[in-house]
């Protein structure tokens, strides 16, 4: 047998590892802990996770020693506290286990004190005025509820310990700390409300599944586009003749290069315990999606941040770049991050899952109606939670939910609410899933109790609410902190009202129904079943008194309202100082993003677009003059003359609009307050982006491909 045949036979004989063989192998989870720490220490960790009980230093020392030995057995040489500061990405500072004991001797050491708390420099992280720049101290503190993990890179392995991050004075400077507070707030009151229906319920978890959309581009082409490198999106670019019109990319066959990338990042993610389930092509060319199974919300959000890190790391090995921006390309769909949210009891009941007869399921209606009421009462705050400079491009762009906050529940549950309220119904309510679609040779397909509505920002999808309006590059904690808090606050109000009625000797179920009926009627205007993309809905929403806040600086004002202040402060999610700081950071982040985009757009105009246009114009003029010298009549060069003239018009327009934009930036920068500065960038600076782009895109369309110095959409969107 030839050598090549032997190799082929050997390769065919290799058994592909099943996911179950390596899932979670790089996390310090139950299996690793059982091997490396005592049962007593495992009990201490579980108590801390489940009850919040503080761990004594002796137990922490045991866990640290076991964690170190496990990490070293996996090849790790360093450790880090892995945290999520208020900049949207993760942070880490690596330290070696190694400590010298002499000139040529040393030991590997990791103590409980080091595990529990570290002091990374906090001076350069966003803080919203909580601390002075010259004050460097901040603290990271271990979160036992999220397992430590090994981050593998080609140059080594590092033990990463998920932590919260706080200022020297104690204020939270990250996403995780308030997320934990909001989750605890919701789980406690949800458990209390469950006691009305099932005394056996002793705990409730917030369940979350995060669908992640993203674009992939060739890394070399990415690096040749300054706007992609520094702004994450193309500030100029003319659409090719074919984009997504034929809808042939959606759920299409995954290209080999992308498939190879997907399988590698999925394997690394699965090794880290991220339960990825789904992969597919999305609508726009070059756009894809991955989605995990449901997890506890705090862990799901940690995993989403970690997944983004992994995806970007693996992309570099394939000479690819992941684009997280919500709208990296004009003219094709942008990307979102759909948050599928629910609550589950320790008895295994999904509190948003209807029973066989939803109209008789009072527990389901309790959590269903209270969630609707919470969104109704805090719609502007929920809108603010997803407000970013990038998401402004996507919301309401006929590819994503509009900026109007509404809820889709489907016709079946609409009828259920009608009947519950005592209104006349158009049809007898019941579960549509009792019917089925029958097709010859195809197994029976059961219909669900409602269709899905991709135009709704907050849709009920059978046993959960899907918050579809979250942006692909945003940190999910922003939205989930608000959602957890408003629903928990609403459940507190609900329980207070029900308890008050019961003190007046009203029967418990009657009291619950009375309160829920009032909530359902009060919240009707937030429910919408139709096409959220249509102009008719904009008009109808205005009649209903619903807000349609299209830009971030105006949406963020909701964080400054008394209602929001009372919600967060009274329920212990933020201190007044923390809320003020976070709001300032959000305004500042917006204006900095627009400021950077304006500067990059100016550089593109002056260093790429105009020189390319002038070069091609010179070529045209030389051609016209040459033809004239050999006797060609003027009418034979008419087209060339027109192109040269049109180029001059667009060159001048770009120059003038860039000058005006620069002047408006200067004026905005001189404003004292960050919110006014952000609004000036929104209203006075950003308006020139489209004007400059219109001329630049026209120039790209007019000139020769060889004269255009930037990779085009036809190159970027269609991976080779």
């Amino acid at each position: 047998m030839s050598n090549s045949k032997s190799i082929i036979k050997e390769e065919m004989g290799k058994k592909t590892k099943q996911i179950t063989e390596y899932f979670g192998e790089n996390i310090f989870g139950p299996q690793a802990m059982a091997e490396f720490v005592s049962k007593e220490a495992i009990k201490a960790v579980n108590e801390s996770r489940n009850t919040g009980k503080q761990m004594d230093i002796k137990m922490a020392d045991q866990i640290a020693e076991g964690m170190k030995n496990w990490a070293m057995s996996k090849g790790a040489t360093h450790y880090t506290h892995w945290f999520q500061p208020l900049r949207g990405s993760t942070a880490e500072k690596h330290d070696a286990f190694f400590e010298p004991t002499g000139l040529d001797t040393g030991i590997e050491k990791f103590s409980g004190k080091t595990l529990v708390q570290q002091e990374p420099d906090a001076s350069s992280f966003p803080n919203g005025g909580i601390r002075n720049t010259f004050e460097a101290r901040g603290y990271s503190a271990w979160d036992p509820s999220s397992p430590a993990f090994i981050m593998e890179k080609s140059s080594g392995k590092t033990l990463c310990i998920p932590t919260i991050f706080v200022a020297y004075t104690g204020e939270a400077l990250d996403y995780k700390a308030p997320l934990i507070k909001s989750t605890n707030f919701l789980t406690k009151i949800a458990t209390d409300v469950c006691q009305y229906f099932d005394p056996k319920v002793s705990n409730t978890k917030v369940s979350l599944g995060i669908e992640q959309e993203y674009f992939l581009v060739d890394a070399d082409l990415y690096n040749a586009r300054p706007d992609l490198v520094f702004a994450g999106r193309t500030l100029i670019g003319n659409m090719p003749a074919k984009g997504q019109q034929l809808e042939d990319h959606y759920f299409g066959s995954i290209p080999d290069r992308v498939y190879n990338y997907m399988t590698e990042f999925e394997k690394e993610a699965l090794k880290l315990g991220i339960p990825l389930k789904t992969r597919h092509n999305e609508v726009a060319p070059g756009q894809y999606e991955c989605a995990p199974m449901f997890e506890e919300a705090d862990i799901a959000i940690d995993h989403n941040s970690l997944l983004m890190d992994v995806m970007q790391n693996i992309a570099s090995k394939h000479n690819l770049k992941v684009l997280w921006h919500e709208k990296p390309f004009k003219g094709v769909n942008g990307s979102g991050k759909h948050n599928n949210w629910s609550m589950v009891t320790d008895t295994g009941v999904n509190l948003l899952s209807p029973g066989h007869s939803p109209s008789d399921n009072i527990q389901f209606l309790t959590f269903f109606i209270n969630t609707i009421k919470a969104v109704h009462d805090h719609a502007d705050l929920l809108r603010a939670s997803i407000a970013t400079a990038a998401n402004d491009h996507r919301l309401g762009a006929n590819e994503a939910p509009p900026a109007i906050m509404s809820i889709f529940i489907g016709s079946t549950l609409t009828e259920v609410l009608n009947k519950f309220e005592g209104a006349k119904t158009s049809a007898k309510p019941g579960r549509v899933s009792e019917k089925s679609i029958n097709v010859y040779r195809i197994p029976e397909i059961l219909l669900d109790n409602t269709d899905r509505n991709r135009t709704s920002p907050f849709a009920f999808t059978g046993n959960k609410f899907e918050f579809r309006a979250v942006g692909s590059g945003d940190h999910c904690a922003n939205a989930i902190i608000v959602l957890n808090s408003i629903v928990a606050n609403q459940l507190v109000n609900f329980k207070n009202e029900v308890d008050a009625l019961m003190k007046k000797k009203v029967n418990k179920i009657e009291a619950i129904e009375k309160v829920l009926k009032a909530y359902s009627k009060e919240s009707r205007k937030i429910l919408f079943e139709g096409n959220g993309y249509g102009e008719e809905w904009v008009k109808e929403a205005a009649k209903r008194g619903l807000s349609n806040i299209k830009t971030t600086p105006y949406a963020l004002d909701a964080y400054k309202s008394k209602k929001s202040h009372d919600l967060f402060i009274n329920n212990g999610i933020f201190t007044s100082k923390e809320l003020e700081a976070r709001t300032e950071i959000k305004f500042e982040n917006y204006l900095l993003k627009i400021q950077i985009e304006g500067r990059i757009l100016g550089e593109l105009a002056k260093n790429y677009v105009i020189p390319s246009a002038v070069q091609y114009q010179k070529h045209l003029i030389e051609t016209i003059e040459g033809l004239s010298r050999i006797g060609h009549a003027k009418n034979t060069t008419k087209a060339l003359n027109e192109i040269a003239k049109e180029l001059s018009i667009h060159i001048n327009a770009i120059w003038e609009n860039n000058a005006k934009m620069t002047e408006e930036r200067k004026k905005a920068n001189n404003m004292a307050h960050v919110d006014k500065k952000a609004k000036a960038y929104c209203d006075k600076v950003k308006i020139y982006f489209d004007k400059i782009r219109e001329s630049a895109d026209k120039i790209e369309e007019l000139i020769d491909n060889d004269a255009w110095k930037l990779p085009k959409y036809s190159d970027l969107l269609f991976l080779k």
Side-chain angles (χ1 to χ4, degrees), residues 236 238 604-605 607-620 639-640 642-648 650-651 654 695-712:
I236 60 175
N238 200 40
L604 287 173
N607 300 331
Y608 290 85
V609 179
I610 291 177
S612 294
V614 170
Q615 178 187 341
Y616 189 66
Q617 194 177 46
K618 180 183 176 184
H619 168 69
L620 290 174
L640 301 182
E642 291 297 324
I643 294 172
K645 287 177 183 177
E646 191 171 350
L647 286 172
S648 290
H650 292 302
I651 290 169
I654 289 173
S695 294
D697 290 357
K698 192 62 181 177
I699 288 172
E700 180 187 342
E701 186 180 339
L702 288 170
I703 71 175
D704 189 289
N705 278 346
D706 292 337
W708 190 251
K709 304 302 182 185
L710 296 167
K712 294 191 170 189

Side-chain angles (χ1 to χ4, degrees), residues 269-415:
L270 288 159
K271 286 161 67 176
L272 290 164
I274 303 172
L276 286 179
K277 180 74 173 178
T278 303
R279 66 166 92 108
H280 65 84
N281 290 2
E282 255 300 334
V283 176
Q287 187 186 33
Y288 306 92
E289 181 180 298
C290 60
M293 300 288 286
F294 290 84
E295 302 179 272
E296 291 182 30
D298 298 359
I299 294 177
I301 291 174
D302 271 6
H303 277 171
N304 183 254
S305 295
L306 180 55
L307 176 65
M308 293 170 77
D309 287 346
V310 169
M311 289 174 70
Q312 204 65 275
N313 291 340
I314 300 300
S316 62
K317 295 171 64 175
H318 294 260
N319 200 38
L320 294 169
K321 193 70 180 179
V322 184
L323 303 182
W324 304 116
H325 195 285
E326 282 72 5
K327 190 75 171 179
F329 301 104
K330 182 181 179 181
V332 297
N333 278 18
S335 297
K337 190 177 323 206
H338 304 164
N339 282 235
N340 296 279
W341 175 93
S342 188
M343 295 163 280
V344 181
T345 69
D346 58 352
T347 58
V349 175
N350 182 341
L351 295 173
L352 289 175
S353 182
H356 186 71
S357 300
S359 55
D360 298 326
N361 190 334
I362 192 67
Q363 178 173 273
F364 161 71
L365 286 177
T366 293
F367 288 93
F368 181 68
I369 291 172
N370 272 290
T371 301
I372 293 171
K373 182 71 161 59
V375 174
H376 172 273
D377 290 356
H378 297 276
D380 287 353
L381 181 59
L382 201 63
R383 165 68 181 95
S385 75
I386 55 168
T388 65
N391 214 19
D392 282 356
H393 294 282
R394 171 177 164 264
L395 294 180
N398 284 355
E399 66 199 50
I404 305 164
M405 291 294 104
S406 68
I407 300 177
F408 169 84
I409 64 171
S411 58
T412 300
L413 288 172
T414 298
E415 291 295 333

